[in-house]
Amino acid sequence: MAYDREKQIAIESALAAAKLCEQVRGNIPPAMEKGDKSPVTIADYGAQALICKVLAEAFPDDPVVGEEDATDLQTPEMAENLTKVTNYVKEQITDATPEQVVQWINQGNGKVGPRYWTLDPIDGTKGFLRQDQYAVALALVEGGEVKVGVLACPAMPVENNKPGMLYVAVRGEGAAMMPIAGGELTPIKVVQADDTANLRFVESVESSHGDQDRQNAVAKAAGITEPSVRVDSQAKYGIVASGKAALYLRLPSPKSPNYRENIWDHAAGAIVVEEAGGRVTDINGKPLNFADGSKMVDNRGVVVSNGIIHDQVLSALQSFSS
C-alpha cells in the first residue's frame, strides 16, 4: 500500500511519544514558558526528541517542521530541565545523552518543502497540565497535500476503561482508530444526518482560541441545538472523525483577528476527518494550505464538519459577518 511504511513509522513514533508524555504527566510537571508566553513542558521536548530521532533514521531526507526548539533548553539555567528530558527519553533509548536529545529536538527545525513532516509533540499543553485532553499530532505532507496523519490522544475515553485512542489516516485509504493500550485498527466514519444524538459541536476550552459567541450562533444556524463540548487539542478532530460530533469551529478571536493558524495544529487532524468522510476548510471555504509555510497565511479560521452540514455552516458564517 502507498505510504504503508510512513504510516507504520508514524504510528510507532507517536505511541512512543504518548508513552513518554503519560509518564511525565503522572508526575504533574510544572510548565516552562516560551518566548510567546505559551507553556511548554518536559514532555513536549521529550516527545519531539523521540519522534524526530525515529523520522531521521527512517526518512533521512525528510525535513520535520515541529513546534518546539531546544534553544532555551540549552541555557545554563535550564540544565536541570534538560537532564529531566534526557532521563525520560532514556526510558526508551537507554544510551541517549543530553547532547543527542538537543540534536533530536532541533531536527524539528526543518522547513516546509515538496515533502516534509509536521509535528506538534503535545497539542493542547494546557489540557495536558490539567490532566485533560491533549494529542501527539504527526503528519506527512507531500506536494502540499497531507498524505498520512496520526493523532495519539492518551486521555481520550474508551469503552474498556483504559483511556487513550489513536487515530490514523492515509490519503485515499480511509481513517481508523484503535486503543493506545493495544488492539486492531477499526474504520471510522463521520456522523450521519439521522444520528441526532451525536449532532453536537466541539470547540476549544481556551476562549482565546476562537470566537465562542459566534461559534455557538453558527452551530445553531446549522441545526445543532446541543451545547458545545469544549475539548483541548486536535482530539476534537478525532471526535468529529469518529462520529461523536458533527462540527468543530475555530473562528478568529475578536482580540486577535489577524491570527493565522500553524500547520502542525491542523494537518494530522484534517486528513483523519477527511478520510472519515468529513470536510475541512477555512471560514471562506478554502482548503487549508500546507504548501507554503508553517503559518497558513492564506487561511482564516478552521471549519471541520461531517461534510453534510458544511455548506450550511459556511453560509451562516457569511451571513453573520456581513
Side-chain angles (χ1 to χ4, degrees), residues 46 49-51 53-54 57 86-97 100-101 104:
L50 284 178
I51 290 175
K53 176 188 185 293
V54 172
E57 290 176 350
T86 304
N87 286 339
Y88 278 108
V89 171
K90 287 172 78 167
E91 300 244 348
Q92 297 187 49
I93 305 169
T94 54
D95 58 351
T97 66
Q100 287 176 315
V101 167
W104 295 333

Side-chain angles (χ1 to χ4, degrees), residues 47-240:
Q48 179 150 321
L50 284 178
I51 290 175
C52 286
K53 176 188 185 293
V54 172
L55 292 178
E57 290 176 350
F59 308 106
D61 295 330
D62 290 357
V64 181
V65 183
E67 181 174 16
E68 305 307 340
D69 176 283
T71 302
D72 292 342
L73 208 54
Q74 292 172 270
T75 60
E77 57 266 31
M78 292 282 272
E80 184 181 349
N81 285 320
L82 177 55
T83 299
K84 289 178 181 176
V85 175
T86 304
N87 286 339
Y88 278 108
V89 171
K90 287 172 78 167
E91 300 244 348
Q92 297 187 49
I93 305 169
T94 54
D95 58 351
T97 66
E99 293 75 22
Q100 287 176 315
V101 167
V102 165
Q103 178 190 345
W104 295 333
I105 294 168
N106 284 338
Q107 279 170 338
N109 294 341
K111 302 295 183 189
V112 168
R115 173 179 155 125
Y116 71 93
W117 296 84
T118 187
L119 165 66
D120 194 339
I122 295 186
D123 184 35
T125 301
K126 290 181 179 178
F128 173 82
L129 290 165
R130 281 201 316 275
Q131 305 288 314
D132 211 332
Q133 295 298 330
Y134 70 100
V136 178
L138 178 62
L140 173 68
V141 182
E142 197 168 77
E145 184 178 56
V146 186
K147 298 295 188 182
V148 179
V150 172
L151 288 176
C153 303
M156 185 64 74
V158 291
E159 285 72 19
N160 61 4
N161 295 321
K162 286 187 177 179
M165 191 65 77
L166 185 82
Y167 303 91
V168 183
V170 176
R171 184 67 62 190
E173 296 181 16
M177 68 181 189
M178 74 173 192
I180 283 178
E184 295 295 315
L185 281 168
T186 57
I188 52 176
K189 288 290 182 187
V190 293
V191 64
Q192 298 305 299
D194 58 354
D195 184 0
T196 54
N198 288 308
L199 286 177
R200 297 184 288 254
F201 93 100
V202 285
E203 61 182 340
S204 297
V205 172
E206 298 289 319
S207 58
S208 62
H209 288 176
D211 183 345
Q212 291 185 331
D213 290 341
R214 191 168 165 223
Q215 286 162 192
N216 276 275
V218 169
K220 285 181 181 174
I224 295 174
T225 57
E226 294 294 317
S228 73
V229 179
R230 292 170 67 172
V231 178
D232 293 287
S233 84
Q234 284 179 74
K236 293 184 284 292
Y237 279 99
I239 291 169
V240 173

